[in-house]
PDB file of all heavy atoms in Angstrom:
ATOM      1  N   PRO A 214       0.808  -1.238   0.036  1.00 93.00           N
ATOM      2  CA  PRO A 214       0.030   0.008   0.010  1.00 93.00           C
ATOM      3  C   PRO A 214       0.904   1.230  -0.021  1.00 93.00           C
ATOM      4  O   PRO A 214       0.318   2.371  -0.296  1.00 93.00           O
ATOM      5  CB  PRO A 214      -0.833  -0.107   1.220  1.00 93.00           C
ATOM      6  CG  PRO A 214      -0.008  -1.051   2.176  1.00 93.00           C
ATOM      7  CD  PRO A 214       0.647  -2.019   1.277  1.00 93.00           C
ATOM      8  N   ARG A 215       2.087   1.175   0.282  1.00 89.00           N
ATOM      9  CA  ARG A 215       2.972   2.397   0.239  1.00 89.00           C
ATOM     10  C   ARG A 215       3.222   2.849  -1.147  1.00 89.00           C
ATOM     11  O   ARG A 215       3.587   4.050  -1.371  1.00 89.00           O
ATOM     12  CB  ARG A 215       4.320   2.014   0.923  1.00 89.00           C
ATOM     13  CG  ARG A 215       4.239   1.661   2.337  1.00 89.00           C
ATOM     14  CD  ARG A 215       5.624   1.258   2.884  1.00 89.00           C
ATOM     15  NE  ARG A 215       6.162   0.115   2.131  1.00 89.00           N
ATOM     16  CZ  ARG A 215       7.325  -0.391   2.283  1.00 89.00           C
ATOM     17  NH1 ARG A 215       8.228   0.316   2.998  1.00 89.00           N
ATOM     18  NH2 ARG A 215       7.687  -1.395   1.542  1.00 89.00           N
ATOM     19  N   PHE A 216       3.044   1.994  -2.140  1.00 92.00           N
ATOM     20  CA  PHE A 216       3.452   2.358  -3.542  1.00 92.00           C
ATOM     21  C   PHE A 216       2.206   2.284  -4.488  1.00 92.00           C
ATOM     22  O   PHE A 216       1.203   1.759  -4.121  1.00 92.00           O
ATOM     23  CB  PHE A 216       4.589   1.363  -3.934  1.00 92.00           C
ATOM     24  CG  PHE A 216       5.690   1.327  -3.052  1.00 92.00           C
ATOM     25  CD1 PHE A 216       6.019   0.049  -2.542  1.00 92.00           C
ATOM     26  CD2 PHE A 216       6.440   2.407  -2.733  1.00 92.00           C
ATOM     27  CE1 PHE A 216       7.112  -0.111  -1.641  1.00 92.00           C
ATOM     28  CE2 PHE A 216       7.396   2.291  -1.845  1.00 92.00           C
ATOM     29  CZ  PHE A 216       7.898   1.063  -1.331  1.00 92.00           C
ATOM     30  N   ASP A 217       2.470   2.815  -5.682  1.00 94.00           N
ATOM     31  CA  ASP A 217       1.458   2.884  -6.731  1.00 94.00           C
ATOM     32  C   ASP A 217       1.759   1.885  -7.822  1.00 94.00           C
ATOM     33  O   ASP A 217       1.425   2.104  -8.992  1.00 94.00           O
ATOM     34  CB  ASP A 217       1.357   4.230  -7.299  1.00 94.00           C
ATOM     35  CG  ASP A 217       0.912   5.329  -6.297  1.00 94.00           C
ATOM     36  OD1 ASP A 217       0.073   4.953  -5.523  1.00 94.00           O
ATOM     37  OD2 ASP A 217       1.427   6.534  -6.314  1.00 94.00           O
ATOM     38  N   VAL A 218       2.428   0.791  -7.478  1.00 97.00           N
ATOM     39  CA  VAL A 218       2.751  -0.112  -8.474  1.00 97.00           C
ATOM     40  C   VAL A 218       1.639  -0.772  -9.151  1.00 97.00           C
ATOM     41  O   VAL A 218       1.483  -0.910 -10.438  1.00 97.00           O
ATOM     42  CB  VAL A 218       3.590  -1.336  -7.869  1.00 97.00           C
ATOM     43  CG1 VAL A 218       3.925  -2.397  -8.841  1.00 97.00           C
ATOM     44  CG2 VAL A 218       4.925  -0.799  -7.357  1.00 97.00           C
ATOM     45  N   ALA A 219       0.555  -1.204  -8.369  1.00 97.00           N
ATOM     46  CA  ALA A 219      -0.609  -1.838  -8.950  1.00 97.00           C
ATOM     47  C   ALA A 219      -1.341  -0.922 -10.003  1.00 97.00           C
ATOM     48  O   ALA A 219      -1.669  -1.372 -11.095  1.00 97.00           O
ATOM     49  CB  ALA A 219      -1.477  -2.314  -7.915  1.00 97.00           C
ATOM     50  N   LEU A 220      -1.548   0.304  -9.619  1.00 97.00           N
ATOM     51  CA  LEU A 220      -2.200   1.239 -10.533  1.00 97.00           C
ATOM     52  C   LEU A 220      -1.376   1.442 -11.740  1.00 97.00           C
ATOM     53  O   LEU A 220      -2.068   1.487 -12.803  1.00 97.00           O
ATOM     54  CB  LEU A 220      -2.428   2.610  -9.765  1.00 97.00           C
ATOM     55  CG  LEU A 220      -3.247   3.594 -10.431  1.00 97.00           C
ATOM     56  CD1 LEU A 220      -4.656   3.096 -10.678  1.00 97.00           C
ATOM     57  CD2 LEU A 220      -3.307   4.944  -9.627  1.00 97.00           C
ATOM     58  N   ALA A 221      -0.092   1.616 -11.645  1.00 97.00           N
ATOM     59  CA  ALA A 221       0.686   1.990 -12.791  1.00 97.00           C
ATOM     60  C   ALA A 221       0.676   0.731 -13.764  1.00 97.00           C
ATOM     61  O   ALA A 221       0.584   0.912 -14.963  1.00 97.00           O
ATOM     62  CB  ALA A 221       2.095   2.296 -12.479  1.00 97.00           C
ATOM     63  N   VAL A 222       0.903  -0.412 -13.255  1.00 98.00           N
ATOM     64  CA  VAL A 222       0.946  -1.643 -14.114  1.00 98.00           C
ATOM     65  C   VAL A 222      -0.386  -1.863 -14.884  1.00 98.00           C
ATOM     66  O   VAL A 222      -0.452  -2.183 -16.037  1.00 98.00           O
ATOM     67  CB  VAL A 222       1.216  -2.838 -13.237  1.00 98.00           C
ATOM     68  CG1 VAL A 222       1.133  -4.121 -14.080  1.00 98.00           C
ATOM     69  CG2 VAL A 222       2.696  -2.718 -12.630  1.00 98.00           C
ATOM     70  N   SER A 223      -1.493  -1.596 -14.047  1.00 97.00           N
ATOM     71  CA  SER A 223      -2.804  -1.814 -14.666  1.00 97.00           C
ATOM     72  C   SER A 223      -3.114  -0.792 -15.813  1.00 97.00           C
ATOM     73  O   SER A 223      -3.958  -1.066 -16.753  1.00 97.00           O
ATOM     74  CB  SER A 223      -3.940  -1.738 -13.562  1.00 97.00           C
ATOM     75  OG  SER A 223      -3.981  -0.348 -12.996  1.00 97.00           O
ATOM     76  N   HIS A 224      -2.425   0.331 -15.753  1.00 97.00           N
ATOM     77  CA  HIS A 224      -2.739   1.379 -16.688  1.00 97.00           C
ATOM     78  C   HIS A 224      -1.775   1.105 -17.961  1.00 97.00           C
ATOM     79  O   HIS A 224      -2.052   1.649 -19.011  1.00 97.00           O
ATOM     80  CB  HIS A 224      -2.448   2.706 -16.140  1.00 97.00           C
ATOM     81  CG  HIS A 224      -3.596   3.211 -15.304  1.00 97.00           C
ATOM     82  ND1 HIS A 224      -3.536   4.422 -14.670  1.00 97.00           N
ATOM     83  CD2 HIS A 224      -4.801   2.725 -15.032  1.00 97.00           C
ATOM     84  CE1 HIS A 224      -4.693   4.611 -13.982  1.00 97.00           C
ATOM     85  NE2 HIS A 224      -5.444   3.488 -14.200  1.00 97.00           N
ATOM     86  N   GLU A 225      -0.730   0.365 -17.823  1.00 97.00           N
ATOM     87  CA  GLU A 225       0.225   0.106 -18.901  1.00 97.00           C
ATOM     88  C   GLU A 225       0.122  -1.191 -19.580  1.00 97.00           C
ATOM     89  O   GLU A 225       0.459  -1.285 -20.867  1.00 97.00           O
ATOM     90  CB  GLU A 225       1.693   0.375 -18.409  1.00 97.00           C
ATOM     91  CG  GLU A 225       1.974   1.858 -18.127  1.00 97.00           C
ATOM     92  CD  GLU A 225       1.876   2.774 -19.312  1.00 97.00           C
ATOM     93  OE1 GLU A 225       2.342   2.369 -20.425  1.00 97.00           O
ATOM     94  OE2 GLU A 225       1.458   3.892 -19.139  1.00 97.00           O
ATOM     95  N   LEU A 226      -0.193  -2.292 -18.759  1.00 98.00           N
ATOM     96  CA  LEU A 226      -0.046  -3.604 -19.451  1.00 98.00           C
ATOM     97  C   LEU A 226      -1.301  -4.422 -19.324  1.00 98.00           C
ATOM     98  O   LEU A 226      -1.766  -4.866 -18.252  1.00 98.00           O
ATOM     99  CB  LEU A 226       1.044  -4.388 -18.610  1.00 98.00           C
ATOM    100  CG  LEU A 226       2.526  -3.790 -18.827  1.00 98.00           C
ATOM    101  CD1 LEU A 226       3.323  -4.534 -17.804  1.00 98.00           C
ATOM    102  CD2 LEU A 226       2.948  -3.853 -20.168  1.00 98.00           C
ATOM    103  N   ALA A 227      -2.069  -4.492 -20.427  1.00 96.00           N
ATOM    104  CA  ALA A 227      -3.268  -5.294 -20.503  1.00 96.00           C
ATOM    105  C   ALA A 227      -2.998  -6.701 -20.510  1.00 96.00           C
ATOM    106  O   ALA A 227      -2.046  -7.266 -21.058  1.00 96.00           O
ATOM    107  CB  ALA A 227      -4.083  -4.954 -21.851  1.00 96.00           C
ATOM    108  N   GLY A 228      -3.674  -7.431 -19.652  1.00 96.00           N
ATOM    109  CA  GLY A 228      -3.573  -8.915 -19.506  1.00 96.00           C
ATOM    110  C   GLY A 228      -2.527  -9.336 -18.568  1.00 96.00           C
ATOM    111  O   GLY A 228      -2.095 -10.482 -18.725  1.00 96.00           O
ATOM    112  N   PHE A 229      -1.938  -8.484 -17.709  1.00 97.00           N
ATOM    113  CA  PHE A 229      -0.893  -8.922 -16.743  1.00 97.00           C
ATOM    114  C   PHE A 229      -1.566  -9.807 -15.812  1.00 97.00           C
ATOM    115  O   PHE A 229      -2.751  -9.828 -15.547  1.00 97.00           O
ATOM    116  CB  PHE A 229      -0.279  -7.721 -16.091  1.00 97.00           C
ATOM    117  CG  PHE A 229      -1.140  -6.991 -15.112  1.00 97.00           C
ATOM    118  CD1 PHE A 229      -1.088  -7.306 -13.797  1.00 97.00           C
ATOM    119  CD2 PHE A 229      -2.012  -5.874 -15.481  1.00 97.00           C
ATOM    120  CE1 PHE A 229      -2.037  -6.648 -12.872  1.00 97.00           C
ATOM    121  CE2 PHE A 229      -2.882  -5.352 -14.680  1.00 97.00           C
ATOM    122  CZ  PHE A 229      -2.842  -5.723 -13.338  1.00 97.00           C
ATOM    123  N   LYS A 230      -0.642 -10.600 -15.098  1.00 96.00           N
ATOM    124  CA  LYS A 230      -1.142 -11.569 -14.142  1.00 96.00           C
ATOM    125  C   LYS A 230      -0.442 -11.164 -12.805  1.00 96.00           C
ATOM    126  O   LYS A 230       0.638 -10.618 -12.742  1.00 96.00           O
ATOM    127  CB  LYS A 230      -0.891 -13.016 -14.566  1.00 96.00           C
ATOM    128  CG  LYS A 230      -1.612 -13.438 -15.723  1.00 96.00           C
ATOM    129  CD  LYS A 230      -1.270 -14.884 -16.177  1.00 96.00           C
ATOM    130  CE  LYS A 230      -2.015 -15.338 -17.392  1.00 96.00           C
ATOM    131  NZ  LYS A 230      -1.803 -16.713 -17.753  1.00 96.00           N
ATOM    132  N   VAL A 231      -1.045 -11.673 -11.714  1.00 95.00           N
ATOM    133  CA  VAL A 231      -0.508 -11.378 -10.399  1.00 95.00           C
ATOM    134  C   VAL A 231      -0.229 -12.825  -9.729  1.00 95.00           C
ATOM    135  O   VAL A 231      -1.114 -13.635  -9.822  1.00 95.00           O
ATOM    136  CB  VAL A 231      -1.399 -10.564  -9.444  1.00 95.00           C
ATOM    137  CG1 VAL A 231      -0.784 -10.347  -8.057  1.00 95.00           C
ATOM    138  CG2 VAL A 231      -1.692  -9.234 -10.094  1.00 95.00           C
ATOM    139  N   TYR A 232       0.915 -12.907  -9.154  1.00 91.00           N
ATOM    140  CA  TYR A 232       1.374 -14.208  -8.546  1.00 91.00           C
ATOM    141  C   TYR A 232       1.506 -14.042  -7.120  1.00 91.00           C
ATOM    142  O   TYR A 232       2.329 -13.224  -6.614  1.00 91.00           O
ATOM    143  CB  TYR A 232       2.668 -14.657  -9.208  1.00 91.00           C
ATOM    144  CG  TYR A 232       3.044 -16.033  -8.848  1.00 91.00           C
ATOM    145  CD1 TYR A 232       2.675 -17.190  -9.596  1.00 91.00           C
ATOM    146  CD2 TYR A 232       3.841 -16.330  -7.752  1.00 91.00           C
ATOM    147  CE1 TYR A 232       3.082 -18.480  -9.236  1.00 91.00           C
ATOM    148  CE2 TYR A 232       4.246 -17.594  -7.373  1.00 91.00           C
ATOM    149  CZ  TYR A 232       3.903 -18.701  -8.176  1.00 91.00           C
ATOM    150  OH  TYR A 232       4.160 -19.921  -7.830  1.00 91.00           O
ATOM    151  N   GLU A 233       0.707 -14.792  -6.263  1.00 86.00           N
ATOM    152  CA  GLU A 233       0.886 -14.751  -4.924  1.00 86.00           C
ATOM    153  C   GLU A 233       0.728 -13.344  -4.270  1.00 86.00           C
ATOM    154  O   GLU A 233       1.449 -12.950  -3.322  1.00 86.00           O
ATOM    155  CB  GLU A 233       2.160 -15.422  -4.349  1.00 86.00           C
ATOM    156  CG  GLU A 233       2.298 -16.844  -4.630  1.00 86.00           C
ATOM    157  CD  GLU A 233       1.304 -17.725  -3.834  1.00 86.00           C
ATOM    158  OE1 GLU A 233       0.922 -17.191  -2.771  1.00 86.00           O
ATOM    159  OE2 GLU A 233       0.912 -18.768  -4.311  1.00 86.00           O
ATOM    160  N   ALA A 234      -0.069 -12.558  -4.868  1.00 88.00           N
ATOM    161  CA  ALA A 234      -0.441 -11.245  -4.453  1.00 88.00           C
ATOM    162  C   ALA A 234       0.679 -10.140  -4.592  1.00 88.00           C
ATOM    163  O   ALA A 234       0.501  -8.919  -4.676  1.00 88.00           O
ATOM    164  CB  ALA A 234      -0.922 -11.148  -3.049  1.00 88.00           C
ATOM    165  N   ASN A 235       1.957 -10.642  -4.716  1.00 90.00           N
ATOM    166  CA  ASN A 235       3.071  -9.630  -4.561  1.00 90.00           C
ATOM    167  C   ASN A 235       3.749  -9.375  -5.983  1.00 90.00           C
ATOM    168  O   ASN A 235       4.199  -8.319  -6.257  1.00 90.00           O
ATOM    169  CB  ASN A 235       4.131 -10.210  -3.645  1.00 90.00           C
ATOM    170  CG  ASN A 235       5.208  -9.149  -3.460  1.00 90.00           C
ATOM    171  OD1 ASN A 235       5.144  -8.021  -3.009  1.00 90.00           O
ATOM    172  ND2 ASN A 235       6.475  -9.519  -3.719  1.00 90.00           N
ATOM    173  N   TRP A 236       3.804 -10.413  -6.796  1.00 93.00           N
ATOM    174  CA  TRP A 236       4.539 -10.289  -8.153  1.00 93.00           C
ATOM    175  C   TRP A 236       3.520  -9.979  -9.271  1.00 93.00           C
ATOM    176  O   TRP A 236       2.518 -10.689  -9.438  1.00 93.00           O
ATOM    177  CB  TRP A 236       5.311 -11.566  -8.535  1.00 93.00           C
ATOM    178  CG  TRP A 236       6.325 -11.938  -7.491  1.00 93.00           C
ATOM    179  CD1 TRP A 236       6.162 -12.696  -6.290  1.00 93.00           C
ATOM    180  CD2 TRP A 236       7.743 -11.606  -7.565  1.00 93.00           C
ATOM    181  NE1 TRP A 236       7.427 -12.859  -5.669  1.00 93.00           N
ATOM    182  CE2 TRP A 236       8.391 -12.205  -6.423  1.00 93.00           C
ATOM    183  CE3 TRP A 236       8.473 -10.860  -8.475  1.00 93.00           C
ATOM    184  CZ2 TRP A 236       9.679 -12.000  -6.092  1.00 93.00           C
ATOM    185  CZ3 TRP A 236       9.786 -10.698  -8.244  1.00 93.00           C
ATOM    186  CH2 TRP A 236      10.445 -11.336  -7.150  1.00 93.00           C
ATOM    187  N   TRP A 237       3.807  -9.083 -10.060  1.00 96.00           N
ATOM    188  CA  TRP A 237       3.131  -8.838 -11.312  1.00 96.00           C
ATOM    189  C   TRP A 237       3.915  -9.419 -12.487  1.00 96.00           C
ATOM    190  O   TRP A 237       5.143  -9.350 -12.370  1.00 96.00           O
ATOM    191  CB  TRP A 237       2.667  -7.391 -11.483  1.00 96.00           C
ATOM    192  CG  TRP A 237       3.786  -6.395 -11.639  1.00 96.00           C
ATOM    193  CD1 TRP A 237       4.427  -5.606 -10.674  1.00 96.00           C
ATOM    194  CD2 TRP A 237       4.497  -5.950 -12.862  1.00 96.00           C
ATOM    195  NE1 TRP A 237       5.398  -4.895 -11.134  1.00 96.00           N
ATOM    196  CE2 TRP A 237       5.476  -5.024 -12.460  1.00 96.00           C
ATOM    197  CE3 TRP A 237       4.395  -6.375 -14.175  1.00 96.00           C
ATOM    198  CZ2 TRP A 237       6.328  -4.390 -13.353  1.00 96.00           C
ATOM    199  CZ3 TRP A 237       5.210  -5.813 -15.124  1.00 96.00           C
ATOM    200  CH2 TRP A 237       6.136  -4.782 -14.772  1.00 96.00           C
ATOM    201  N   HIS A 238       3.289  -9.771 -13.522  1.00 95.00           N
ATOM    202  CA  HIS A 238       3.968 -10.631 -14.534  1.00 95.00           C
ATOM    203  C   HIS A 238       3.209 -10.434 -15.868  1.00 95.00           C
ATOM    204  O   HIS A 238       1.965 -10.560 -15.852  1.00 95.00           O
ATOM    205  CB  HIS A 238       3.838 -12.156 -14.108  1.00 95.00           C
ATOM    206  CG  HIS A 238       4.239 -13.059 -15.025  1.00 95.00           C
ATOM    207  ND1 HIS A 238       5.262 -13.887 -14.834  1.00 95.00           N
ATOM    208  CD2 HIS A 238       3.684 -13.451 -16.309  1.00 95.00           C
ATOM    209  CE1 HIS A 238       5.368 -14.778 -15.857  1.00 95.00           C
ATOM    210  NE2 HIS A 238       4.450 -14.535 -16.718  1.00 95.00           N
ATOM    211  N   TRP A 239       3.908 -10.073 -16.863  1.00 98.00           N
ATOM    212  CA  TRP A 239       3.318  -9.859 -18.274  1.00 98.00           C
ATOM    213  C   TRP A 239       4.210 -10.495 -19.206  1.00 98.00           C
ATOM    214  O   TRP A 239       5.511 -10.220 -19.307  1.00 98.00           O
ATOM    215  CB  TRP A 239       3.063  -8.313 -18.484  1.00 98.00           C
ATOM    216  CG  TRP A 239       2.517  -8.124 -19.751  1.00 98.00           C
ATOM    217  CD1 TRP A 239       1.040  -8.082 -20.100  1.00 98.00           C
ATOM    218  CD2 TRP A 239       3.132  -7.662 -20.968  1.00 98.00           C
ATOM    219  NE1 TRP A 239       0.842  -7.770 -21.305  1.00 98.00           N
ATOM    220  CE2 TRP A 239       2.047  -7.527 -21.967  1.00 98.00           C
ATOM    221  CE3 TRP A 239       4.409  -7.432 -21.472  1.00 98.00           C
ATOM    222  CZ2 TRP A 239       2.329  -7.074 -23.317  1.00 98.00           C
ATOM    223  CZ3 TRP A 239       4.644  -7.074 -22.690  1.00 98.00           C
ATOM    224  CH2 TRP A 239       3.660  -6.896 -23.657  1.00 98.00           C
ATOM    225  N   ARG A 240       3.656 -11.324 -20.102  1.00 97.00           N
ATOM    226  CA  ARG A 240       4.429 -11.976 -21.216  1.00 97.00           C
ATOM    227  C   ARG A 240       4.042 -11.272 -22.560  1.00 97.00           C
ATOM    228  O   ARG A 240       2.874 -11.249 -22.897  1.00 97.00           O
ATOM    229  CB  ARG A 240       4.162 -13.434 -21.313  1.00 97.00           C
ATOM    230  CG  ARG A 240       5.092 -14.237 -22.262  1.00 97.00           C
ATOM    231  CD  ARG A 240       4.788 -15.674 -22.277  1.00 97.00           C
ATOM    232  NE  ARG A 240       5.205 -16.306 -20.970  1.00 97.00           N
ATOM    233  CZ  ARG A 240       6.350 -16.687 -20.631  1.00 97.00           C
ATOM    234  NH1 ARG A 240       7.369 -16.654 -21.588  1.00 97.00           N
ATOM    235  NH2 ARG A 240       6.650 -17.305 -19.530  1.00 97.00           N
ATOM    236  N   LYS A 241       5.059 -10.830 -23.299  1.00 97.00           N
ATOM    237  CA  LYS A 241       4.890 -10.205 -24.583  1.00 97.00           C
ATOM    238  C   LYS A 241       4.372 -11.114 -25.583  1.00 97.00           C
ATOM    239  O   LYS A 241       5.021 -12.239 -25.776  1.00 97.00           O
ATOM    240  CB  LYS A 241       6.139  -9.632 -24.972  1.00 97.00           C
ATOM    241  CG  LYS A 241       5.988  -8.633 -26.215  1.00 97.00           C
ATOM    242  CD  LYS A 241       7.282  -7.814 -26.529  1.00 97.00           C
ATOM    243  CE  LYS A 241       7.104  -6.859 -27.490  1.00 97.00           C
ATOM    244  NZ  LYS A 241       8.319  -5.920 -27.725  1.00 97.00           N
ATOM    245  N   PRO A 242       3.283 -10.870 -26.288  1.00 95.00           N
ATOM    246  CA  PRO A 242       2.741 -11.845 -27.227  1.00 95.00           C
ATOM    247  C   PRO A 242       3.840 -12.092 -28.386  1.00 95.00           C
ATOM    248  O   PRO A 242       4.563 -11.213 -28.773  1.00 95.00           O
ATOM    249  CB  PRO A 242       1.629 -11.136 -27.841  1.00 95.00           C
ATOM    250  CG  PRO A 242       1.185 -10.096 -26.674  1.00 95.00           C
ATOM    251  CD  PRO A 242       2.353  -9.705 -26.162  1.00 95.00           C
ATOM    252  N   VAL A 243       3.671 -13.345 -28.897  1.00 93.00           N
ATOM    253  CA  VAL A 243       4.557 -13.687 -30.056  1.00 93.00           C
ATOM    254  C   VAL A 243       3.677 -13.536 -31.247  1.00 93.00           C
ATOM    255  O   VAL A 243       2.533 -13.944 -31.340  1.00 93.00           O
ATOM    256  CB  VAL A 243       4.832 -15.128 -29.992  1.00 93.00           C
ATOM    257  CG1 VAL A 243       5.616 -15.544 -31.278  1.00 93.00           C
ATOM    258  CG2 VAL A 243       5.783 -15.367 -28.767  1.00 93.00           C
ATOM    259  N   ILE A 244       4.164 -12.692 -32.207  1.00 86.00           N
ATOM    260  CA  ILE A 244       3.450 -12.335 -33.446  1.00 86.00           C
ATOM    261  C   ILE A 244       3.620 -13.438 -34.366  1.00 86.00           C
ATOM    262  O   ILE A 244       4.779 -13.735 -34.854  1.00 86.00           O
ATOM    263  CB  ILE A 244       3.805 -10.995 -33.969  1.00 86.00           C
ATOM    264  CG1 ILE A 244       3.547  -9.871 -33.009  1.00 86.00           C
ATOM    265  CG2 ILE A 244       3.072 -10.610 -35.300  1.00 86.00           C
ATOM    266  CD1 ILE A 244       4.044  -8.526 -33.406  1.00 86.00           C
TER     267      ILE A 244
END
């Protein structure tokens, strides 16, 4: 709660995932 990580990630990366509440994770699609 001290940081704005969640808000920033949600505004930049569509389809990201959260692992065990602490880690955010986004895989770049293969074209």
Side-chain angles (χ1 to χ4, degrees):
R215 297 174 299 168
F216 307 124
D217 295 320
V218 174
L220 185 62
V222 172
S223 66
H224 284 175
E225 288 297 320
L226 298 173
F229 72 92
K230 297 181 180 179
V231 179
Y232 189 89
E233 294 291 335
N235 185 57
W236 297 88
W237 62 268
H238 170 119
W239 182 81
R240 189 177 291 273
K241 190 171 187 176
V243 175
I244 300 175

